[in-house]
Structure formats: C-alpha cells, structure tokens
Amino acid sequence: GDGYAGQSAIIAATRKSTVRQLDSRSAHGRLRILEMDHAGHFWPTPKNDDPSAVSERFGLRNQDIDGAVEAWRFFRE
C-alpha cells in the first residue's frame, strides 16, 4: 500500500499493516496466533493483486507473510 495515492479511507486505514506472532505451549498442545493490525479482510499474501474496486471496499491485504506458508510451518513444527 505504500504506492497508493488515492483518497479511499478504507485503503488508507489498511496501509502499513503489521503481523505479530504469539506462541503458547502446554502439555496439552500448542497455540499460535498471528495478529494482524490494520490489515484488510483477505488472506495475507506477499503479492497484492486485487482489483482496486475490491481494495477500496475491503482494504489492502497484509503482505508481510504468506498465510499458506505460515499454516504449513505451524503443522510441520
């Protein structure tokens, strides 16, 4: 979203989103939370190729992580 020069408030609110990983383990299992701050309503991917009309309605994707890679990483550990 750094290159966005339009006037959409929704896109502006989802620019520069961040991801924080929180892990917890116990004798009964594991928990991983990927908390996205100011991200849009889409699965995170490194590439944002959504049409502008979609981004203007729902915001930008977070591009810091690839959601599929992170899901597989969790199950491999």
Side-chain angles (χ1 to χ4, degrees), residues 6-71:
Q7 300 298 316
S8 170
I10 293 172
I11 290 180
T14 56
R15 289 179 68 219
K16 300 184 185 273
S17 64
T18 59
V19 179
R20 182 171 67 153
Q21 180 175 312
L22 307 164
D23 288 316
S24 179
R25 296 177 188 259
S26 75
H28 303 287
R30 298 178 6 205
L31 172 70
R32 174 168 292 157
I33 297 172
L34 296 172
E35 178 185 72
M36 292 180 211
D37 186 28
H38 292 92
H41 293 274
F42 294 103
W43 187 259
T45 60
K47 184 177 180 188
N48 182 23
D49 56 1
D50 298 315
S52 61
V54 172
S55 296
E56 288 175 6
R57 183 168 181 189
F58 299 105
L60 299 171
R61 294 176 185 267
N62 178 278
Q63 294 175 262
D64 295 334
I65 62 170
D66 185 323
V69 170
E70 295 302 322

